[in-house]
Amino acid sequence: MTTVFHAANKRGHANHGWLNAHHSFSFAGWYDPAKIHFGMLRVLNDDIIDGGQGFGRHPHDNMEIITIVLDGMLEHKDSMGHTQTIAPDEVQVMSAGTGVTHSEYNHLTNKKTNLLQIWIFPNKENVKPRYDQRTFPAQNRVNSLQALVSPITNEDEGLKINQDAWIYRTALGKGKNIAHQLHNSNSGAYVFVIDGKISVGGQALGKKDALGISDAGSFEMSAAEDSDVLVIEVPMK
């Protein structure tokens, strides 16, 4: 097993007043040559947006974009005609394909919204843009890996993307262990702790720490306290 530890306090940080953002990988004005991407995982941003504030209309293409709201509510509008709000326990997927524009705002005026946005390189470019959104009940991930995202060619549960990638979330109770078997020999996993404390392969991880895992067919996570964990499995090449 090969691992790379990404400490929470070593992430890129940009405070724009209305937006307090942490970047796991090089993004916008923050650049770290050791943190460009992890396999096909290009972006993992941890954004806190002030009430009523947000990102104006902007373009994307040829990227699989996944948004997970942790707290608050996000308002989304796009050039495909969607106007949606995204709440905690909901996940949004947007395959940008040939090109799409969208805006993202905190739907609430009196409360901050915290979200994770993930970008994954697609395995097929210039597809027709598509959008999907679904609720994933919290009780279905207690001491279990809940599939949020899976490949469009796969019948697994989860919203579909154009890549051999999976995203799981688990609410792992104190003292509990859970193992994950990678789907492909060329895949790796990026384990991100939303909250709590876990260990993976002898490496302790706290809140917003992450561990990249490659050259391993499987791995096990153990919780030192009640923990909320994201597992992003992606091809490494």
Side-chain angles (χ1 to χ4, degrees):
M1 179 188 292
T2 301
T3 61
V4 56
F5 175 63
H6 286 179
N9 62 5
K10 299 297 184 182
R11 296 180 295 169
H13 180 224
N15 193 334
H16 301 283
W18 63 272
L19 170 67
N20 187 10
H22 287 86
H23 311 305
S24 295
F25 303 99
S26 296
F27 189 85
W30 181 70
Y31 176 75
D32 182 340
K35 296 179 180 177
I36 304 296
H37 60 95
F38 177 79
M40 295 296 102
L41 173 60
R42 174 61 188 89
V43 166
L44 173 51
N45 287 346
D46 179 6
D47 292 340
I48 299 175
I49 305 171
D50 280 355
Q53 301 296 309
F55 304 92
R57 205 167 186 89
H58 57 281
H60 294 283
D61 63 71
N62 290 320
M63 192 66 71
E64 302 296 309
I65 300 171
I66 300 98
T67 301
I68 301 170
V69 172
L70 302 178
D71 190 31
M73 187 171 289
L74 189 72
E75 180 180 308
H76 164 98
K77 295 182 180 180
D78 65 44
S79 55
M80 294 178 281
H82 301 102
T83 299
Q84 304 285 146
T85 55
I86 311 163
D89 296 329
E90 292 186 325
V91 179
Q92 174 209 75
V93 162
M94 189 171 68
S95 296
T98 54
V100 64
T101 61
H102 75 146
S103 62
E104 298 160 293
Y105 283 87
N106 184 347
H107 186 70
L108 307 174
T109 58
N110 59 350
K111 180 180 179 179
K112 295 179 185 290
T113 286
N114 184 198
L115 64 94
L116 300 177
Q117 190 163 98
I118 299 161
W119 296 6
I120 295 176
F121 291 115
N123 58 12
K124 186 178 181 181
E125 294 191 341
N126 298 320
V127 300
K128 181 180 179 180
R130 58 183 292 274
Y131 179 98
D132 203 357
Q133 181 177 333
R134 191 186 306 168
T135 300
F136 292 87
Q139 63 268 26
N140 293 352
R141 56 178 173 265
V142 176
N143 299 320
S144 177
L145 287 169
Q146 181 184 52
L148 308 181
V149 170
S150 61
I152 203 166
T153 56
N154 195 286
E155 294 183 359
D156 289 358
E157 292 186 5
L159 300 173
K160 302 305 179 186
I161 62 171
N162 296 289
Q163 183 54 271
D164 294 325
W166 286 259
I167 299 178
Y168 297 95
R169 189 173 179 181
T170 182
L172 197 57
K174 180 179 179 179
K176 298 293 186 179
N177 301 331
I178 194 167
H180 177 57
Q181 180 78 36
L182 297 175
H183 292 81
N184 300 305
S185 59
N186 70 332
S187 292
Y190 196 78
V191 178
F192 180 81
V193 181
I194 297 170
D195 201 6
K197 293 180 180 178
I198 67 169
S199 64
V200 184
Q203 174 68 59
L205 304 173
K207 183 177 181 177
K208 303 300 176 71
D209 288 340
L211 188 71
I213 302 167
S214 55
D215 303 317
S218 63
F219 63 91
E220 186 172 273
M221 301 181 290
S222 302
E225 59 183 49
D226 290 349
S227 299
D228 188 358
V229 184
L230 207 63
V231 176
I232 307 171
E233 180 182 336
V234 291
M236 295 305 293
K237 297 181 180 178

